[in-house]
Amino acid sequence: MNTSAESVPDDALGVSSWEVTQETEVEFGGLGWTVLPSVYPMHLVRSSEFFRRQLSALPPVHSFLEVGCGAGALSVLAVKNGLCQEATGVDINPNALAVSQMNARRHGVEDATTFVYSDVFDGVSDSQFDLIFWNSNGALPDSGEILDEDAAISHHERAIFDPGYASHLRYLELGRNHLRPGGRLLIGFCGNGDLEFIKEKAAGLGLSLELLATDDEGSHPHYLLEIRETSPA
């Protein structure tokens, strides 16, 4: 592993064509949203709509945490549509946090939503939730290899790729610490990612991944999975 961050050449990862480069108005889930530059373009990615539908069908809870909230749409909709009474969204992109707050005000749920700068759970270290969800950045580049953990990539690229799968490992390791009794830990995973790697790491932590739903349309599938502690033998 490199001792210093190595920059990935411009568009070597092949995702610049769908990067948001200026403030943009989009439609998602039947509502209008603002998306700021470098924020995950949920309106262009079919998995966002798939996970929106899946979350909307879950039983209501009091508190919801969205890891990697992007423009905040899933957090805002969770409150607005009655999935939860209060939602927290976390992200490492300052533009994502700013636009999430804008969108919460736009849709009248600013008092029931909180957006926090956080690398996975760092910014909510003392908090617990009834439901945690992450539409994870588990895609692999065309090489089919997980990026080196020290790869220096943009906010837009990091919303799609997870160098070293480091964030996934922390989500597995720490997620259950942030669940209230009876809480659920969910992850949305891209079908061209290394799911077997994730399953292997989960098993080593005494966890299993239960498949809840699959979207088989598009160029590759997407999976909604629940992370559970393995039952004792």
Side-chain angles (χ1 to χ4, degrees), residues 68-129:
C69 64
L74 293 183
S75 293
V76 169
L77 288 170
V79 174
K80 193 170 180 66
N81 295 338
L83 173 62
C84 65
Q85 296 179 43
E86 56 185 44
T88 300
V90 300
D91 210 294
I92 60 170
N93 184 345
N95 275 3
L97 300 175
V99 80
S100 292
Q101 292 167 348
M102 291 168 58
N103 285 322
R105 288 193 297 271
R106 177 176 184 168
H107 294 296
V109 296
E110 65 270 30
D111 292 339
T113 53
T114 304
F115 297 98
V116 179
Y117 182 89
S118 178
D119 188 353
V120 193
F121 298 112
D122 287 352
V124 290
S125 58
D126 297 326
S127 302
Q128 292 186 317
F129 306 87

CSV table of all heavy atoms in Angstrom, one decimal, residues 68-129:
chain,number,residue,atom,x,y,z
A,68,GLY,N,-24.0,8.5,3.8
A,68,GLY,CA,-23.8,8.9,2.5
A,68,GLY,C,-25.1,9.5,1.9
A,68,GLY,O,-25.7,9.0,0.9
A,69,CYS,N,-25.6,10.6,2.5
A,69,CYS,CA,-26.9,11.1,2.2
A,69,CYS,C,-27.0,11.9,0.9
A,69,CYS,O,-28.1,12.1,0.4
A,69,CYS,CB,-27.4,12.0,3.3
A,69,CYS,SG,-26.4,13.5,3.6
A,70,GLY,N,-25.9,12.3,0.3
A,70,GLY,CA,-25.9,13.0,-1.0
A,70,GLY,C,-26.8,14.2,-0.8
A,70,GLY,O,-26.5,15.1,0.0
A,71,ALA,N,-27.8,14.4,-1.7
A,71,ALA,CA,-28.7,15.6,-1.7
A,71,ALA,C,-29.7,15.5,-0.6
A,71,ALA,O,-30.6,16.4,-0.5
A,71,ALA,CB,-29.3,15.8,-3.0
A,72,GLY,N,-29.7,14.4,0.2
A,72,GLY,CA,-30.6,14.3,1.3
A,72,GLY,C,-32.0,13.8,1.0
A,72,GLY,O,-32.9,13.8,1.9
A,73,ALA,N,-32.2,13.4,-0.2
A,73,ALA,CA,-33.6,13.0,-0.7
A,73,ALA,C,-34.2,11.9,0.2
A,73,ALA,O,-35.3,11.9,0.6
A,73,ALA,CB,-33.6,12.6,-2.1
A,74,LEU,N,-33.4,10.8,0.4
A,74,LEU,CA,-34.0,9.7,1.1
A,74,LEU,C,-34.3,10.1,2.6
A,74,LEU,O,-35.3,9.6,3.1
A,74,LEU,CB,-33.0,8.5,1.1
A,74,LEU,CG,-32.8,7.8,-0.3
A,74,LEU,CD1,-31.9,6.6,-0.2
A,74,LEU,CD2,-34.2,7.5,-0.9
A,75,SER,N,-33.5,10.9,3.2
A,75,SER,CA,-33.7,11.3,4.5
A,75,SER,C,-35.0,12.2,4.6
A,75,SER,O,-35.8,12.0,5.5
A,75,SER,CB,-32.5,12.1,5.1
A,75,SER,OG,-31.4,11.3,5.2
A,76,VAL,N,-35.1,13.1,3.7
A,76,VAL,CA,-36.2,14.0,3.6
A,76,VAL,C,-37.5,13.2,3.4
A,76,VAL,O,-38.5,13.4,4.1
A,76,VAL,CB,-36.0,15.1,2.6
A,76,VAL,CG1,-37.3,15.9,2.3
A,76,VAL,CG2,-34.9,16.1,3.0
A,77,LEU,N,-37.4,12.3,2.4
A,77,LEU,CA,-38.6,11.5,2.1
A,77,LEU,C,-39.0,10.6,3.2
A,77,LEU,O,-40.2,10.3,3.4
A,77,LEU,CB,-38.4,10.7,0.8
A,77,LEU,CG,-38.4,11.5,-0.5
A,77,LEU,CD1,-37.9,10.7,-1.7
A,77,LEU,CD2,-39.8,12.1,-0.8
A,78,ALA,N,-38.0,10.1,4.0
A,78,ALA,CA,-38.3,9.2,5.1
A,78,ALA,C,-39.2,9.9,6.1
A,78,ALA,O,-40.1,9.3,6.6
A,78,ALA,CB,-37.0,8.8,5.8
A,79,VAL,N,-38.9,11.2,6.4
A,79,VAL,CA,-39.8,12.0,7.3
A,79,VAL,C,-41.1,12.3,6.6
A,79,VAL,O,-42.2,12.1,7.2
A,79,VAL,CB,-39.0,13.2,7.7
A,79,VAL,CG1,-40.0,14.1,8.6
A,79,VAL,CG2,-37.8,12.9,8.6
A,80,LYS,N,-41.0,12.9,5.4
A,80,LYS,CA,-42.2,13.4,4.7
A,80,LYS,C,-43.2,12.3,4.5
A,80,LYS,O,-44.4,12.6,4.6
A,80,LYS,CB,-41.7,14.0,3.4
A,80,LYS,CG,-42.8,14.9,2.7
A,80,LYS,CD,-42.2,15.6,1.6
A,80,LYS,CE,-43.3,16.5,0.9
A,80,LYS,NZ,-43.7,17.6,1.8
A,81,ASN,N,-42.8,11.1,4.2
A,81,ASN,CA,-43.7,10.0,3.9
A,81,ASN,C,-44.0,9.1,5.0
A,81,ASN,O,-44.6,8.0,4.9
A,81,ASN,CB,-43.1,9.2,2.7
A,81,ASN,CG,-43.1,10.0,1.4
A,81,ASN,OD1,-43.7,11.0,1.3
A,81,ASN,ND2,-42.2,9.6,0.5
A,82,GLY,N,-43.5,9.4,6.2
A,82,GLY,CA,-43.9,8.7,7.4
A,82,GLY,C,-43.1,7.5,7.8
A,82,GLY,O,-43.4,6.7,8.7
A,83,LEU,N,-41.9,7.3,7.1
A,83,LEU,CA,-41.1,6.1,7.5
A,83,LEU,C,-40.5,6.4,8.9
A,83,LEU,O,-40.3,5.4,9.7
A,83,LEU,CB,-39.9,5.9,6.5
A,83,LEU,CG,-38.8,4.9,6.9
A,83,LEU,CD1,-39.4,3.5,7.0
A,83,LEU,CD2,-37.7,4.9,5.9
A,84,CYS,N,-40.2,7.6,9.2
A,84,CYS,CA,-39.6,7.9,10.6
A,84,CYS,C,-40.1,9.3,11.0
A,84,CYS,O,-40.7,10.1,10.3
A,84,CYS,CB,-38.1,7.9,10.5
A,84,CYS,SG,-37.4,9.3,9.4
A,85,GLN,N,-39.9,9.5,12.3
A,85,GLN,CA,-40.2,10.8,12.9
A,85,GLN,C,-39.1,11.8,12.8
A,85,GLN,O,-39.3,13.0,12.8
A,85,GLN,CB,-40.7,10.6,14.3
A,85,GLN,CG,-42.0,9.8,14.5
A,85,GLN,CD,-42.4,9.6,15.9
A,85,GLN,OE1,-42.3,10.6,16.7
A,85,GLN,NE2,-42.8,8.4,16.3
A,86,GLU,N,-37.9,11.2,12.8
A,86,GLU,CA,-36.7,12.1,12.7
A,86,GLU,C,-35.6,11.4,11.9
A,86,GLU,O,-35.4,10.1,12.1
A,86,GLU,CB,-36.1,12.5,14.1
A,86,GLU,CG,-35.8,11.3,15.0
A,86,GLU,CD,-35.4,11.8,16.4
A,86,GLU,OE1,-36.1,12.7,17.0
A,86,GLU,OE2,-34.4,11.2,16.9
A,87,ALA,N,-34.9,12.1,11.1
A,87,ALA,CA,-33.9,11.5,10.2
A,87,ALA,C,-32.6,12.3,10.4
A,87,ALA,O,-32.6,13.5,10.5
A,87,ALA,CB,-34.3,11.5,8.8
A,88,THR,N,-31.5,11.5,10.3
A,88,THR,CA,-30.2,12.1,10.3
A,88,THR,C,-29.5,11.6,9.0
A,88,THR,O,-29.5,10.4,8.7
A,88,THR,CB,-29.4,11.7,11.5
A,88,THR,OG1,-30.0,12.1,12.7
A,88,THR,CG2,-27.9,12.2,11.5
A,89,GLY,N,-28.8,12.5,8.3
A,89,GLY,CA,-28.1,12.2,7.1
A,89,GLY,C,-26.6,12.6,7.4
A,89,GLY,O,-26.3,13.6,7.9
A,90,VAL,N,-25.7,11.7,7.0
A,90,VAL,CA,-24.3,12.0,7.1
A,90,VAL,C,-23.6,11.9,5.8
A,90,VAL,O,-24.0,11.1,4.9
A,90,VAL,CB,-23.6,11.1,8.2
A,90,VAL,CG1,-24.2,11.3,9.5
A,90,VAL,CG2,-23.6,9.6,7.8
A,91,ASP,N,-22.5,12.7,5.6
A,91,ASP,CA,-21.7,12.6,4.4
A,91,ASP,C,-20.4,13.3,4.6
A,91,ASP,O,-20.3,14.0,5.6
A,91,ASP,CB,-22.5,13.4,3.3
A,91,ASP,CG,-22.2,12.8,1.9
A,91,ASP,OD1,-21.0,13.0,1.4
A,91,ASP,OD2,-23.1,12.3,1.2
A,92,ILE,N,-19.4,13.0,3.8
A,92,ILE,CA,-18.1,13.7,3.9
A,92,ILE,C,-18.0,14.8,2.9
A,92,ILE,O,-16.9,15.5,2.8
A,92,ILE,CB,-17.0,12.7,3.7
A,92,ILE,CG1,-17.0,12.0,2.3
A,92,ILE,CG2,-17.0,11.7,4.8
A,92,ILE,CD1,-15.8,11.2,2.0
A,93,ASN,N,-19.0,15.0,2.0
A,93,ASN,CA,-18.9,16.1,1.0
A,93,ASN,C,-19.7,17.3,1.6
A,93,ASN,O,-20.9,17.3,1.8
A,93,ASN,CB,-19.6,15.6,-0.3
A,93,ASN,CG,-19.5,16.6,-1.4
A,93,ASN,OD1,-19.2,17.8,-1.2
A,93,ASN,ND2,-19.8,16.2,-2.6
A,94,PRO,N,-19.0,18.4,1.8
A,94,PRO,CA,-19.7,19.6,2.4
A,94,PRO,C,-20.8,20.1,1.5
A,94,PRO,O,-21.8,20.6,2.0
A,94,PRO,CB,-18.6,20.7,2.4
A,94,PRO,CG,-17.3,19.9,2.5
A,94,PRO,CD,-17.5,18.6,1.7
A,95,ASN,N,-20.7,20.0,0.2
A,95,ASN,CA,-21.8,20.3,-0.7
A,95,ASN,C,-23.0,19.5,-0.5
A,95,ASN,O,-24.2,20.0,-0.6
A,95,ASN,CB,-21.4,20.3,-2.2
A,95,ASN,CG,-20.7,21.5,-2.6
A,95,ASN,OD1,-20.5,22.4,-1.9
A,95,ASN,ND2,-20.3,21.5,-3.9
A,96,ALA,N,-22.8,18.2,-0.2
A,96,ALA,CA,-24.0,17.3,0.1
A,96,ALA,C,-24.7,17.8,1.4
A,96,ALA,O,-25.9,17.8,1.4
A,96,ALA,CB,-23.5,15.9,0.3
A,97,LEU,N,-24.0,18.2,2.4
A,97,LEU,CA,-24.6,18.6,3.6
A,97,LEU,C,-25.4,19.9,3.4
A,97,LEU,O,-26.5,20.1,3.9
A,97,LEU,CB,-23.6,18.8,4.7
A,97,LEU,CG,-22.8,17.5,5.1
A,97,LEU,CD1,-21.7,17.8,6.1
A,97,LEU,CD2,-23.8,16.4,5.6
A,98,ALA,N,-24.8,20.8,2.6
A,98,ALA,CA,-25.4,22.1,2.4
A,98,ALA,C,-26.7,21.9,1.6
A,98,ALA,O,-27.7,22.5,1.9
A,98,ALA,CB,-24.4,23.0,1.6
A,99,VAL,N,-26.7,21.1,0.6
A,99,VAL,CA,-27.8,21.0,-0.3
A,99,VAL,C,-28.9,20.1,0.4
A,99,VAL,O,-30.1,20.3,0.2
A,99,VAL,CB,-27.5,20.4,-1.7
A,99,VAL,CG1,-27.3,18.9,-1.6
A,99,VAL,CG2,-28.5,20.8,-2.7
A,100,SER,N,-28.5,19.2,1.3
A,100,SER,CA,-29.5,18.4,2.1
A,100,SER,C,-30.3,19.4,2.9
A,100,SER,O,-31.5,19.2,3.1
A,100,SER,CB,-28.8,17.4,2.9
A,100,SER,OG,-28.2,16.4,2.1
A,101,GLN,N,-29.6,20.3,3.6
A,101,GLN,CA,-30.3,21.3,4.4
A,101,GLN,C,-31.3,22.1,3.6
A,101,GLN,O,-32.4,22.4,4.0
A,101,GLN,CB,-29.3,22.1,5.2
A,101,GLN,CG,-28.5,21.3,6.2
A,101,GLN,CD,-27.3,22.1,6.7
A,101,GLN,OE1,-26.9,23.1,6.2
A,101,GLN,NE2,-26.7,21.6,7.8
A,102,MET,N,-30.8,22.5,2.4
A,102,MET,CA,-31.7,23.3,1.5
A,102,MET,C,-32.9,22.5,1.1
A,102,MET,O,-34.0,23.0,1.1
A,102,MET,CB,-30.9,23.6,0.2
A,102,MET,CG,-29.8,24.6,0.4
A,102,MET,SD,-28.7,24.7,-1.1
A,102,MET,CE,-29.8,25.2,-2.4
A,103,ASN,N,-32.7,21.2,0.8
A,103,ASN,CA,-33.9,20.4,0.4
A,103,ASN,C,-34.8,20.1,1.5
A,103,ASN,O,-36.0,20.0,1.3
A,103,ASN,CB,-33.3,19.1,-0.3
A,103,ASN,CG,-32.8,19.3,-1.7
A,103,ASN,OD1,-33.3,20.1,-2.4
A,103,ASN,ND2,-31.7,18.6,-2.0
A,104,ALA,N,-34.3,20.0,2.7
A,104,ALA,CA,-35.1,19.8,3.9
A,104,ALA,C,-36.0,21.0,4.1
A,104,ALA,O,-37.2,20.9,4.4
A,104,ALA,CB,-34.3,19.5,5.1
A,105,ARG,N,-35.4,22.2,4.0
A,105,ARG,CA,-36.2,23.4,4.1
A,105,ARG,C,-37.3,23.5,3.0
A,105,ARG,O,-38.4,23.8,3.2
A,105,ARG,CB,-35.3,24.6,4.1
A,105,ARG,CG,-34.5,24.8,5.4
A,105,ARG,CD,-33.9,26.2,5.4
A,105,ARG,NE,-33.0,26.4,4.3
A,105,ARG,CZ,-31.7,26.1,4.4
A,105,ARG,NH1,-31.1,25.6,5.5
A,105,ARG,NH2,-30.9,26.4,3.3
A,106,ARG,N,-36.9,23.1,1.8
A,106,ARG,CA,-37.8,23.2,0.7
A,106,ARG,C,-39.0,22.3,0.9
A,106,ARG,O,-40.1,22.7,0.5
A,106,ARG,CB,-37.0,22.7,-0.6
A,106,ARG,CG,-37.8,22.7,-1.9
A,106,ARG,CD,-36.8,22.3,-3.0
A,106,ARG,NE,-37.5,22.3,-4.3
A,106,ARG,CZ,-36.8,22.2,-5.4
A,106,ARG,NH1,-35.5,22.2,-5.5
A,106,ARG,NH2,-37.5,22.2,-6.6
A,107,HIS,N,-38.8,21.2,1.5
A,107,HIS,CA,-40.0,20.3,1.7
A,107,HIS,C,-40.5,20.3,3.1
A,107,HIS,O,-41.3,19.4,3.5
A,107,HIS,CB,-39.5,18.9,1.3
A,107,HIS,CG,-39.2,18.8,-0.2
A,107,HIS,ND1,-40.1,19.0,-1.2
A,107,HIS,CD2,-38.0,18.6,-0.8
A,107,HIS,CE1,-39.6,18.9,-2.4
A,107,HIS,NE2,-38.3,18.6,-2.2
A,108,GLY,N,-40.2,21.3,3.9
A,108,GLY,CA,-40.8,21.5,5.2
A,108,GLY,C,-40.5,20.6,6.3
A,108,GLY,O,-41.3,20.4,7.2
A,109,VAL,N,-39.3,19.9,6.2
A,109,VAL,CA,-39.0,18.9,7.3
A,109,VAL,C,-37.7,19.3,8.0
A,109,VAL,O,-37.0,18.4,8.6
A,109,VAL,CB,-38.9,17.5,6.7
A,109,VAL,CG1,-40.3,17.1,6.2
A,109,VAL,CG2,-37.9,17.4,5.6
A,110,GLU,N,-37.3,20.6,7.9
A,110,GLU,CA,-36.0,21.0,8.5
A,110,GLU,C,-36.0,20.7,10.0
A,110,GLU,O,-34.9,20.5,10.6
A,110,GLU,CB,-35.7,22.4,8.2
A,110,GLU,CG,-36.7,23.5,8.8
A,110,GLU,CD,-37.8,23.8,7.9
A,110,GLU,OE1,-38.3,22.9,7.1
A,110,GLU,OE2,-38.3,24.9,8.0
A,111,ASP,N,-37.1,20.8,10.7
A,111,ASP,CA,-37.1,20.5,12.1
A,111,ASP,C,-37.0,19.1,12.5
A,111,ASP,O,-36.7,18.8,13.7
A,111,ASP,CB,-38.4,21.1,12.8
A,111,ASP,CG,-38.4,22.6,12.7
A,111,ASP,OD1,-37.4,23.3,12.6
A,111,ASP,OD2,-39.6,23.2,12.8
A,112,ALA,N,-37.2,18.2,11.6
A,112,ALA,CA,-37.1,16.7,11.8
A,112,ALA,C,-35.9,16.1,11.2
A,112,ALA,O,-35.8,14.9,11.2
A,112,ALA,CB,-38.4,16.1,11.4
A,113,THR,N,-35.1,16.9,10.6
A,113,THR,CA,-33.9,16.3,9.9
A,113,THR,C,-32.6,17.0,10.4
A,113,THR,O,-32.6,18.2,10.7
A,113,THR,CB,-34.0,16.5,8.4
A,113,THR,OG1,-34.2,17.9,8.1
A,113,THR,CG2,-35.1,15.6,7.8
A,114,THR,N,-31.5,16.2,10.5
A,114,THR,CA,-30.2,16.7,10.9
A,114,THR,C,-29.2,16.2,9.9
A,114,THR,O,-29.2,15.0,9.5
A,114,THR,CB,-29.9,16.3,12.3
A,114,THR,OG1,-30.9,16.7,13.2
A,114,THR,CG2,-28.5,16.9,12.7
A,115,PHE,N,-28.3,17.1,9.4
A,115,PHE,CA,-27.3,16.6,8.5
A,115,PHE,C,-25.9,16.9,9.1
A,115,PHE,O,-25.6,18.1,9.5
A,115,PHE,CB,-27.5,17.3,7.1
A,115,PHE,CG,-28.8,16.9,6.5
A,115,PHE,CD1,-29.9,17.7,6.6
A,115,PHE,CD2,-28.9,15.6,5.9
A,115,PHE,CE1,-31.1,17.3,6.1
A,115,PHE,CE2,-30.1,15.2,5.4
A,115,PHE,CZ,-31.2,16.1,5.4
A,116,VAL,N,-25.0,15.9,9.1
A,116,VAL,CA,-23.8,16.0,9.9
A,116,VAL,C,-22.6,15.6,9.0
A,116,VAL,O,-22.7,14.5,8.3
A,116,VAL,CB,-23.9,15.1,11.1
A,116,VAL,CG1,-22.6,15.1,11.9
A,116,VAL,CG2,-25.1,15.4,12.0
A,117,TYR,N,-21.5,16.3,9.1
A,117,TYR,CA,-20.3,15.9,8.5
A,117,TYR,C,-19.8,14.6,9.2
A,117,TYR,O,-19.5,14.7,10.4
A,117,TYR,CB,-19.2,17.0,8.5
A,117,TYR,CG,-18.0,16.6,7.8
A,117,TYR,CD1,-17.8,16.8,6.5
A,117,TYR,CD2,-16.9,15.9,8.5
A,117,TYR,CE1,-16.6,16.4,5.8
A,117,TYR,CE2,-15.8,15.5,7.8
A,117,TYR,CZ,-15.6,15.8,6.5
A,117,TYR,OH,-14.5,15.4,5.8
A,118,SER,N,-19.7,13.5,8.5
A,118,SER,CA,-19.3,12.3,9.2
A,118,SER,C,-18.7,11.3,8.2
A,118,SER,O,-19.4,11.1,7.1
A,118,SER,CB,-20.5,11.7,9.9
A,118,SER,OG,-20.1,10.4,10.5
A,119,ASP,N,-17.6,10.7,8.4
A,119,ASP,CA,-17.0,9.6,7.6
A,119,ASP,C,-17.6,8.3,8.2
A,119,ASP,O,-17.1,7.9,9.3
A,119,ASP,CB,-15.5,9.6,7.7
A,119,ASP,CG,-14.9,8.6,6.7
A,119,ASP,OD1,-15.6,7.8,6.1
A,119,ASP,OD2,-13.7,8.6,6.6
A,120,VAL,N,-18.6,7.8,7.6
A,120,VAL,CA,-19.4,6.7,8.1
A,120,VAL,C,-20.0,7.1,9.5
A,120,VAL,O,-20.8,8.0,9.5
A,120,VAL,CB,-18.6,5.4,8.2
A,120,VAL,CG1,-19.6,4.2,8.5
A,120,VAL,CG2,-17.9,5.1,6.9
A,121,PHE,N,-19.5,6.6,10.6
A,121,PHE,CA,-20.2,6.9,11.9
A,121,PHE,C,-19.4,7.8,12.8
A,121,PHE,O,-19.8,8.1,13.9
A,121,PHE,CB,-20.4,5.6,12.7
A,121,PHE,CG,-21.3,4.6,12.0
A,121,PHE,CD1,-20.8,3.4,11.5
A,121,PHE,CD2,-22.6,4.8,11.8
A,121,PHE,CE1,-21.6,2.4,10.9
A,121,PHE,CE2,-23.5,3.9,11.2
A,121,PHE,CZ,-22.9,2.7,10.7
A,122,ASP,N,-18.3,8.4,12.3
A,122,ASP,CA,-17.5,9.3,13.1
A,122,ASP,C,-18.2,10.4,13.7
A,122,ASP,O,-18.0,10.7,14.9
A,122,ASP,CB,-16.3,9.8,12.3
A,122,ASP,CG,-15.3,8.8,12.0
A,122,ASP,OD1,-15.3,7.7,12.5
A,122,ASP,OD2,-14.3,9.1,11.2
A,123,GLY,N,-19.1,11.0,13.0
A,123,GLY,CA,-19.8,12.2,13.5
A,123,GLY,C,-21.0,12.0,14.3
A,123,GLY,O,-21.7,12.9,14.8
A,124,VAL,N,-21.4,10.7,14.4
A,124,VAL,CA,-22.6,10.3,15.2
A,124,VAL,C,-22.2,9.2,16.2
A,124,VAL,O,-22.9,8.3,16.5
A,124,VAL,CB,-23.7,9.8,14.4
A,124,VAL,CG1,-24.3,11.0,13.6
A,124,VAL,CG2,-23.3,8.7,13.4
A,125,SER,N,-21.0,9.3,16.8
A,125,SER,CA,-20.4,8.3,17.6
A,125,SER,C,-21.2,7.9,18.8
A,125,SER,O,-21.1,6.8,19.3
A,125,SER,CB,-18.9,8.7,18.0
A,125,SER,OG,-18.9,9.9,18.7
A,126,ASP,N,-21.9,8.9,19.3
A,126,ASP,CA,-22.7,8.6,20.6
A,126,ASP,C,-24.2,8.4,20.3
A,126,ASP,O,-25.0,8.3,21.3
A,126,ASP,CB,-22.5,9.8,21.5
A,126,ASP,CG,-21.1,10.0,22.0
A,126,ASP,OD1,-20.4,9.0,22.1
A,126,ASP,OD2,-20.7,11.1,22.2
A,127,SER,N,-24.6,8.2,19.1
A,127,SER,CA,-26.0,8.1,18.7
A,127,SER,C,-26.4,6.7,18.3
A,127,SER,O,-25.6,5.9,17.8
A,127,SER,CB,-26.3,9.1,17.6
A,127,SER,OG,-26.0,10.4,17.9
A,128,GLN,N,-27.7,6.4,18.5
A,128,GLN,CA,-28.2,5.1,18.1
A,128,GLN,C,-29.5,5.4,17.4
A,128,GLN,O,-30.2,6.4,17.6
A,128,GLN,CB,-28.5,4.2,19.3
A,128,GLN,CG,-27.2,3.7,19.9
A,128,GLN,CD,-27.4,2.7,21.0
A,128,GLN,OE1,-28.3,2.8,21.8
A,128,GLN,NE2,-26.6,1.6,21.0
A,129,PHE,N,-29.9,4.5,16.5
A,129,PHE,CA,-31.0,4.7,15.6
A,129,PHE,C,-31.8,3.4,15.4
A,129,PHE,O,-31.3,2.3,15.7
A,129,PHE,CB,-30.6,5.1,14.2
A,129,PHE,CG,-29.7,6.3,14.2
A,129,PHE,CD1,-28.3,6.2,14.4
A,129,PHE,CD2,-30.2,7.6,14.1
A,129,PHE,CE1,-27.5,7.3,14.5
A,129,PHE,CE2,-29.4,8.7,14.2
A,129,PHE,CZ,-28.0,8.6,14.4
